[in-house]
Amino acid sequence: MSFRLHRALAVSWKEALDLRKNPGLLASMLALPAVLVLVPTGVIWSWLRNPDTVTFRSMALYYDPTLPLNADPVRFMIDKLVLDWFGVFLLMPVFVPILISSQSVAGEKERRTLEPLLAAPVSAAELVLGKSLASVVPAVAITWLSFAVFVLAVDAVAWPLVHAPVLPNGMWLFGIGVVAPLFAFLGNGLAVLVSARVGEARLAQQLSALVVLPLMGLVGGQLAGWIRAGTGYYAVQGLVVLVLDILLIRASVRLFDRERLVSRWT
Amino acid sequence: MSRIEVRSLSKNFGPRTAVEGLDFDVGAGEVFGLLGPNGAGKTTTVRMLTGLLRPSSGRAIVCGVPLDGDGEALRSRVGLLTEQPGLYDRLTARENLRFFLKLHHRDTKPAWEAARRWMQRFGLGGREEDRCGTFSKGMRQKLALVRALLHDPQALFLDEPTSGLDPESARAVRDAVGELAADGRTVVLCSHNMAEVERLCARVAVVKGRLLAVGTVPELRRQTAVVEIHVEGSAGAAGEALGPIVPPCVWVAEAHVLRITLAGGVSIPEVVALLAQAGVRIHAVFPAQRALEDVYLELTRSSETEAT
């Protein structure tokens, strides 16, 4: 069956409409960005309210024993927090597509809409692309918008100490522009794959969300000082995720076989 | 020329055989009934003929497209009304239909106007902007039927099209089916509503894993004889007296009337004698016009007997 972009876009159009009319899902999608912006901003704000230089210096020396004596430890800790927070921020482009795609794929089974859809002239690749666009585009848009708010909030809070913008920096721009979309495809690919195998949107969501565990582990390694994050580190993460994305898309198209879906789920 | 040609069509799911060796033809402009109990393989057959499932063996050509050929062409030429309407509840009726118009690359004003005319016809006029989640079961069924007609298919597969509809809507749907056929479209109707099948279908196939019979309703009726016996007291209790008869006869009891389908050479005097011996008081005996339901029950029950 030949690939037709208009059919993938039709699937995407329907998914976008459905998403707009699902206030519960929209609220869940916005909760995580709010937390990921407010928490670090609040931490920096509390640090600057009562900057205990001795405590901050000992914390800073833990992460960098070569820290010069004349360096400001609070500024160091702000930079360190901002650097490491990108690893946590990546949860957003992973998690938002999981919320959307679990609903859009397993939800078709739950609502018994799959059979009429599969009886229409739409191929597996068109379905996967249409559903993926409908989850990756909002996820990336939310991530970028949250980044903009995050930059404004951090710079506003840190200004009294730093007197210069902390963000955006090269690493964050690279990460948000290149790595975050790759992570969005990862979350979407996992959710599509899991949804094609399980019968319930909730179960698909729960299983797909397990992907955040290794990401949290990596962030834990950064906080413990075992992993030094930076542009190169996130570029390597991006490359690994790119390979996973390609594998997941291929597997998803194979799993969207009509025979398999119809005989198992309708 | 046949619009649908089915030859030795079979489908297995692992070790389980869902349908085996189906053979039938359906012509252009014909309404063809597919009858069978739940689990008989009707839905599996329809799914194969609409390109949703691949046959395990055999072949079929639907609207000029072999099942192992161009799936896109096949799905563009057939319309399917599934057992469940399968509408997107959060979307409006218009959005539901537009989505399928887009998939068929027919999101044009004339196509939408045609869809609106069908909606009007089925009593859904003015509900275009309402969410499908607010629709009753009958309204959902009718909207799903409009969706199946959107792309002007050559063949329509309708699974229980009047299920859940009020009598007025059911008649509108039946009239529409008749008109679609008169317009040259082929309609395959799966239904448990025998009166509907008798009224609409030129020919009927009875399936139960395999093809039990195929023909026009009068042809099927002629296959066996039926007698209607009016008894005193419960006809059900009288029917129990037919237990020893060989081969077993299918009977249906309604109040004081016992309708017996005579199988394999059993005669009316033989049945009457058996009932009299059992002490049943008989008021009248009439050779009866066989209902399609009786033919259907006999065919499906005799296939059960053969299986055991």
Side-chain angles (χ1 to χ4, degrees):
Chain A
M1 189 168 168
S2 54
F3 183 88
R4 296 271 193 277
L5 185 62
H6 75 83
R7 289 195 291 243
L9 292 177
V11 173
S12 207
W13 172 83
K14 187 271 289 178
E15 294 299 334
L17 268 180
D18 204 37
L19 176 62
R20 262 177 29 205
K21 297 182 179 196
N22 189 345
L25 184 55
L26 284 174
S28 338
M29 280 167 57
L30 296 176
L32 184 63
V35 169
L36 293 181
V37 169
L38 289 175
V39 167
T41 310
V43 168
I44 294 171
W45 179 76
S46 68
W47 283 352
L48 295 186
R49 274 187 73 203
N50 186 17
D52 176 356
T53 314
V54 178
T55 308
F56 277 99
R57 178 158 295 281
S58 51
M59 280 164 65
L61 284 171
Y62 172 76
Y63 288 114
D64 184 3
T66 64
L67 187 74
L69 273 174
N70 59 350
D72 182 345
V74 181
R75 170 67 202 254
F76 174 88
M77 285 307 296
I78 290 173
D79 288 338
K80 170 75 178 153
L81 173 70
V82 165
L83 180 75
D84 287 338
W85 196 252
F86 181 69
V88 183
F89 214 79
L90 280 175
L91 294 179
M92 193 188 320
V94 175
F95 204 72
V96 172
I98 287 175
L99 289 174
I100 302 173
S101 294
S102 310
Q103 284 290 333
S104 81
V105 181
E108 296 265 9
K109 296 174 192 167
E110 280 180 346
R111 297 188 296 257
R112 314 294 295 264
T113 51
L114 196 58
E115 196 175 359
L117 177 60
L118 295 176
V122 59
S123 70
E126 289 156 1
L127 273 175
V128 170
L129 178 66
K131 287 186 176 287
S132 299
L133 281 177
S135 82
V136 168
V137 169
V140 172
I142 288 174
T143 305
W144 286 354
L145 191 66
S146 305
F147 170 64
V149 175
F150 181 57
V151 167
L152 291 174
V154 165
D155 284 344
V157 171
W159 191 269
L161 175 82
V162 183
H163 302 297
V166 176
L167 284 173
N169 59 28
M171 189 217 79
W172 267 87
L173 287 174
F174 167 74
I176 287 292
V178 178
V179 182
L182 292 173
F183 272 73
F185 275 104
L186 175 72
N188 169 71
L190 271 171
V192 169
L193 194 76
V194 174
S195 300
R197 295 197 69 92
V198 302
E200 287 174 43
R202 194 181 297 260
L203 181 61
Q205 228 166 60
Q206 287 163 350
L207 290 175
S208 310
L210 293 177
V211 72
V212 303
L213 293 179
L215 291 177
M216 291 306 293
L218 289 172
V219 173
Q222 287 171 234
L223 294 175
W226 302 332
I227 296 172
R228 286 184 77 87
T231 308
Y233 168 74
Y234 289 118
V236 171
Q237 272 195 13
L239 271 175
V240 172
V241 169
L242 175 64
V243 173
L244 289 173
D245 287 346
I246 293 167
L247 294 174
L248 283 170
I249 287 171
R250 292 177 65 157
S252 302
V253 171
R254 261 211 309 275
L255 270 180
F256 259 74
D257 171 60
R258 277 184 167 72
E259 172 97 14
R260 186 195 299 259
L261 291 175
V262 168
S263 51
R264 284 190 64 175
W265 302 116
T266 60
Chain B
M1 187 189 156
S2 299
R3 181 73 55 78
I4 300 172
E5 280 178 44
V6 178
R7 297 287 176 272
S8 308
L9 198 67
S10 301
K11 179 67 188 175
N12 304 320
F13 294 104
R16 187 175 69 81
T17 301
V19 286
E20 191 176 15
L22 293 186
D23 279 285
F24 58 85
D25 292 82
V26 189
E30 186 180 352
V31 183
F32 185 78
L34 206 50
L35 298 182
N38 295 331
K42 302 187 298 292
T43 303
T44 300
T45 304
V46 167
R47 284 175 177 171
M48 282 193 282
L49 297 180
T50 51
L52 289 170
L53 290 176
R54 284 183 290 273
S56 304
S57 64
R59 64 184 183 84
I61 299 174
V62 180
C63 303
V65 183
L67 291 191
D68 55 359
D70 183 353
E72 183 180 347
L74 173 65
R75 283 186 280 275
S76 302
R77 292 177 199 184
V78 301
L80 171 65
L81 173 70
T82 50
E83 207 173 344
Q84 301 282 334
L87 299 168
Y88 298 100
D89 284 352
R90 278 187 286 269
L91 305 193
T92 64
R94 186 175 64 87
E95 288 162 346
N96 265 281
L97 296 181
R98 272 198 72 197
F99 172 47
F100 281 85
L101 282 172
K102 281 171 184 280
L103 290 180
H104 286 285
H105 210 22
R106 283 175 180 244
D107 190 16
T108 59
K109 206 172 173 190
W112 171 241
E113 285 307 319
R116 281 185 65 171
R117 280 196 294 277
W118 280 114
M119 287 185 71
Q120 291 278 356
R121 169 89 186 263
F122 294 141
L124 295 173
R127 304 297 302 264
E128 291 88 347
E129 303 306 327
D130 291 352
R131 286 189 183 199
C132 291
T134 64
F135 282 9
S136 68
K137 190 184 173 205
M139 290 166 74
R140 296 165 67 80
Q141 185 77 352
K142 289 186 282 187
L143 189 65
L145 183 56
V146 175
R147 182 184 60 196
L149 291 166
L150 280 178
H151 56 293
D152 205 14
Q154 294 173 20
L156 262 173
F157 292 83
L158 308 178
D159 203 348
E160 299 288 350
T162 55
S163 159
L165 298 189
D166 57 72
E168 195 182 343
S169 302
R171 166 163 279 191
V173 169
R174 279 196 292 269
D175 291 348
V177 169
E179 279 173 36
L180 288 164
D183 209 25
R185 288 181 180 83
T186 298
V187 180
V188 175
L189 182 73
C190 298
S191 178
H192 290 117
N193 184 338
M194 298 294 157
E196 183 172 277
V197 170
E198 276 193 85
R199 198 177 311 173
L200 285 174
C201 298
R203 288 186 311 129
V204 173
V206 182
V207 294
K208 193 173 179 190
R210 61 192 170 84
L211 191 64
L212 300 179
V214 63
T216 62
V217 174
E219 279 169 358
L220 294 180
R221 276 180 176 154
R222 279 197 296 271
Q223 283 187 5
T224 50
V226 167
V227 62
E228 197 172 281
I229 301 179
H230 293 230
V231 299
E232 193 173 284
S234 160
E240 299 298 335
L242 296 170
I245 212 161
V246 178
C249 291
V250 174
W251 54 268
V252 179
E254 278 173 30
H256 304 293
V257 180
L258 188 60
R259 290 168 64 86
I260 307 164
T261 303
L262 303 176
V266 175
S267 66
I268 293 175
E270 207 177 329
V271 170
V272 171
L274 195 65
L275 290 174
Q277 269 174 28
V280 177
R281 289 174 67 88
I282 297 170
H283 287 182
V285 179
F286 303 101
Q289 168 73 42
R290 300 195 68 210
L292 180 61
E293 185 177 350
D294 298 330
V295 177
Y296 165 80
L297 287 173
E298 183 204 337
L299 286 166
T300 51
R301 286 181 187 172
S302 61
S303 95
E304 269 171 31
T305 313
E306 279 173 36
T308 52

